[in-house]
Amino acid sequence: MPRDLELIRHSITRYQALRRFRDPLHLQQLNRLKQWQHERMEQTHAPMLAQEPGRSLVRYFLDDIYRGIDLSEVIGSLERALKVADKLFTDLSLIRMALEFNTLNGEVDEALTIALFETLQVSSIDTTTLAQAARLAGCEQDHLRSIALVGEFAEGLDTTVHNPMVYGAFKIAKLPARLGGLGKLYQLLDKGFTVIRALPDAERQIKQIVNQEHAIHVRLYED
């Protein structure tokens, strides 16, 4: 089995093991954190959100990638989905990166949620309490890696859009992907391609978002 396929399997298995799926109180607390982070990122990237074409790119990252990938179709049929992916896509790197980010981001958010609401027992979140939680959680490398993955994923979308053979093969895989339990993943990639294709300078705007997020999170872990 290709290495990308093994990494995809590993990412999905780790994601399914997250505490959010078995602890309603933790999920409620996690959603508070995600909402706060979502609002913070909207403020950070307000200049790009103010007008197109940057707005669509930021909204894609905030609303489609950061909020989490819906893997409900895959639960209970992981092996079938993996076989379908192996047959449909000659290049699995985009799926691998999307799922790796999804899992890593989920694990980081879980660690931050535990630090915030169980260890620090905060009543509200702000930059100070989040920084305290981040240092307690000790997940700096995973946090920074998740941000880097966003950039790699977006650059992969940009590269694929400009490769007629790979992009053409992807477009005809829509129905088989849906039937094979990969419909939500296909939609995520397809929307990303649509957003990237509309950007005249996608590489620059992607780097702008990633660099800003990287700088913010480096400061988060500083003493």
Side-chain angles (χ1 to χ4, degrees):
M1 182 175 290
R3 176 166 172 76
D4 275 344
L5 213 56
E6 286 291 354
L7 292 172
I8 289 169
R9 182 205 302 274
H10 185 54
S11 290
I12 293 174
T13 302
R14 283 165 53 201
Y15 184 73
Q16 292 174 342
L18 290 173
R19 184 171 162 182
R20 69 182 68 180
F21 298 114
R22 63 183 188 277
D23 185 340
L25 176 59
H26 174 77
L27 177 60
Q28 182 181 24
Q29 294 168 338
L30 173 70
N31 286 336
R32 286 179 61 188
L33 170 63
K34 292 185 77 67
Q35 182 60 36
W36 186 90
Q37 290 177 319
H38 194 275
E39 291 170 1
R40 193 278 299 163
M41 285 188 279
E42 284 189 328
Q43 293 176 0
T44 299
H45 305 292
M48 290 184 69
L49 282 167
Q51 58 184 352
E52 294 292 2
R55 180 188 297 120
S56 296
L57 181 63
V58 177
R59 289 258 67 98
Y60 176 64
F61 285 128
L62 290 182
D63 300 337
D64 296 278
I65 297 178
Y66 174 69
R67 283 196 184 278
I69 301 170
D70 182 358
L71 296 179
S72 57
E73 294 174 304
V74 179
I75 295 174
S77 59
L78 176 56
E79 296 307 317
R80 178 171 67 93
L82 290 173
K83 289 179 181 178
V84 169
D86 193 27
K87 290 180 179 179
L88 285 181
F89 304 107
T90 55
D91 184 356
L92 294 166
S93 60
L94 281 175
I95 294 176
R96 171 185 56 77
M97 286 187 286
L99 290 173
E100 185 180 351
F101 168 80
N102 195 56
T103 297
L104 200 56
N105 192 55
E107 291 171 341
V108 168
D109 280 350
E110 180 171 296
L112 292 175
T113 298
I114 291 170
L116 279 166
F117 296 102
E118 297 180 21
T119 305
L120 295 174
Q121 297 185 343
V122 303
S123 57
S124 61
I125 306 170
D126 56 30
T127 53
T128 300
T129 56
L130 185 63
Q132 291 173 335
R135 291 192 288 270
L136 281 171
C139 50
E140 179 178 7
Q141 294 307 311
D142 285 346
H143 215 162
L144 296 179
R145 174 57 185 154
S146 71
I147 295 166
L149 273 168
V150 170
E152 293 171 17
F153 174 70
E155 289 169 5
L157 290 173
D158 190 33
T159 299
T160 301
V161 160
H162 294 97
N163 185 323
M165 289 187 62
V166 176
Y167 183 61
F170 171 83
K171 295 300 289 185
I172 64 175
K174 181 176 182 178
L175 180 59
R178 183 174 64 80
L179 294 175
L182 298 172
K184 299 295 186 183
L185 271 173
Y186 185 95
Q187 288 174 17
L188 177 79
L189 296 175
D190 194 36
K191 184 171 181 179
F193 288 136
T194 300
V195 170
I196 294 293
R197 281 172 66 89
L199 292 173
D201 54 352
E203 184 177 356
R204 180 188 65 80
Q205 296 192 63
I206 291 165
K207 286 182 178 178
Q208 179 179 331
I209 294 172
V210 172
N211 289 342
Q212 283 182 291
E213 288 299 315
H214 179 85
I216 287 169
H217 287 84
V218 166
R219 290 197 298 272
L220 196 64
Y221 290 91
E222 292 176 346
D223 293 330

